[in-house]
Amino acid sequence: MAASRGKFSNKFGFIAAAAGSAVGLGNIWKFPFEVGKGGGSAFLIVYLLFSFVLCYPILVSEIAIGRRAQKSAALAFKPLGHPNWSIIGILGVFCAVVILSFYNVVSGWVLGYFVEMLLGNFEIGHHFEEYVTDIAEVGGYALAFLIGTAYIVSQGITKGIEKFSKILMPVLIIIILVLTIYALTLDRAMDGVKFYLVPDFSKLNLNVIYRALGQSFFSLSLGLGALMTYGSYLSRKENIVSAGALITIADVGIAFLAGLMIFPFVFSQGIEPEGGAGLIFMTMPGIFQSMGPSLGVIIGALFFLLLAFAALTSTISLMELPVAYMVDKHKIKRKYAVWYSAAVIFLLGIPSMLGNGYSEFFTNFITYVGADKPVNFMDFVTDVASNTLLPFGGLMVSIFSIYVWNRHKLFRELSHGHPKFPRTFLAKYISFSLQYISPPVLGAIFIITILEIFFGVQIF
Ligand code: PFF
């Protein structure tokens, strides 16, 4: 029964939770270093295009499918009359578990840096690479973070997820805004802004396109059914189209702002923008130090604390996928499903923990055919789960909603909460994108990247 599954109390609760899922480490930790690796503005432009043109319509469809079915991702396809498609939902649950396994490790780093800032240890910025090889410390924080996530998920939807998201998101936005303004006043700040905003299309290549696409999906929590699951807790009174637009704008807006904050900092400190996964950890402590000891401690600790909360509202939504699956499908008690998932996720995260310098095997985990350098375990998992499988999930959602479930039923669902929807411009936009843009673009990128990146077949 719908009532026993829990519900968001209103549209604001849903938007806060869904935007809380979308806004996380993906925006503030991952987006800047992907921009750095992808050559700056070239990456940014492709990312923006993908987010609005391709991802927004898929996001709306995911929510609509979840709400119509009143079931979490893996079980949503059956009540719509297409049980064979459940495999896509199950693939999503798998992706969520894999993504959470490394996401939780990074969340542990954030928690650790929060404590270091409280202690006034700004030097930690220069020692990121050593820090992440301290397995006892990093493992301890990751475990603490996972227990926090599991506890909130075990409390259920409205009590746990909604409450946290509503309060913390606005505070995070304010602190980023303040830091951005500060960043822009520093020496060499404009070099950073130029790197970030002045287009340089010579940097554009297949790899940049592939990573920007993966980033759009990852950042919007798309392609694995997280929003489908949240949609299943949404009332039919609410307008999915406008809620989806708000979620997309908030998510992209915060990532954009994070870039505008980080790159002036990066350039003002003479750090390489290609710094990779350590970028914010290497950059931010030096900035807090420059604010003086007391202000630096306050702002530094606040920054990492809020980042930890942003991560928490995302880890909650990731964990909700396997948990909802077990509760809905196997009728396992929520509490047991939560702790069982947490144990599996922690174990799966160990290679990611070890693969940042501690273990040679996981650090130089795999060299793709034709590549000159190996990638570590975390990068490999990101490539498989987030850069490849999420867009694949998105491709399947667009095909499903337009051709299998079919456009009329999608539109009928979207009309609940927005009766005029079928006659609006957005209806045409969404249906055009789902029909003519997503399948060819996502299909082509999927095939080309599998062949080129994983099998070394040279197509371009
Ligand atoms: N969107 C989150 C972020 O940007 O940090 C990560 C994420 C959360 C991805 C939930 C997927 C998901 F289902």
Side-chain angles (χ1 to χ4, degrees), residues 192-319:
V193 176
K194 245 188 245 156
F195 172 80
Y196 184 45
L197 295 182
V198 178
D200 176 2
F201 290 107
S202 66
K203 301 261 175 59
L204 208 59
N205 58 35
L206 177 70
N207 201 271
V208 169
I209 294 176
Y210 164 71
R211 307 193 78 84
L213 180 68
Q215 177 63 23
S216 299
F217 273 85
F218 182 84
S219 188
L220 285 165
S221 303
L222 217 55
L224 76 180
L227 296 176
M228 221 179 263
T229 306
Y230 276 11
S232 76
Y233 306 123
L234 180 66
S235 142
R236 290 189 115 186
K237 291 199 309 276
E238 310 299 352
N239 178 344
I240 293 179
V241 184
S242 66
L246 268 173
I247 294 163
T248 308
I249 291 169
D251 186 59
V252 172
I254 292 180
F256 180 78
L257 209 59
L260 207 54
M261 167 186 83
I262 281 285
F263 288 108
F265 283 160
V266 166
F267 279 75
S268 78
Q269 295 186 54
I271 293 175
E272 282 301 310
E274 295 92 28
L279 194 63
I280 66 158
F281 297 99
M282 297 190 285
T283 314
M284 300 306 290
I287 291 303
F288 300 131
Q289 188 167 27
S290 76
M291 297 174 167
S294 24
L295 190 62
V297 165
I298 296 171
I299 305 279
L302 203 59
F303 175 80
F304 282 107
L305 183 67
L306 286 171
L307 189 53
F309 279 121
L312 187 63
T313 49
S314 301
T315 53
I316 288 168
S317 72
L318 282 163
M319 194 182 268

Side-chain angles (χ1 to χ4, degrees), residues 70 124 127 409 453:
Q70 292 289 303
I124 193 79
H127 303 294
K409 291 190 186 143
I453 296 181

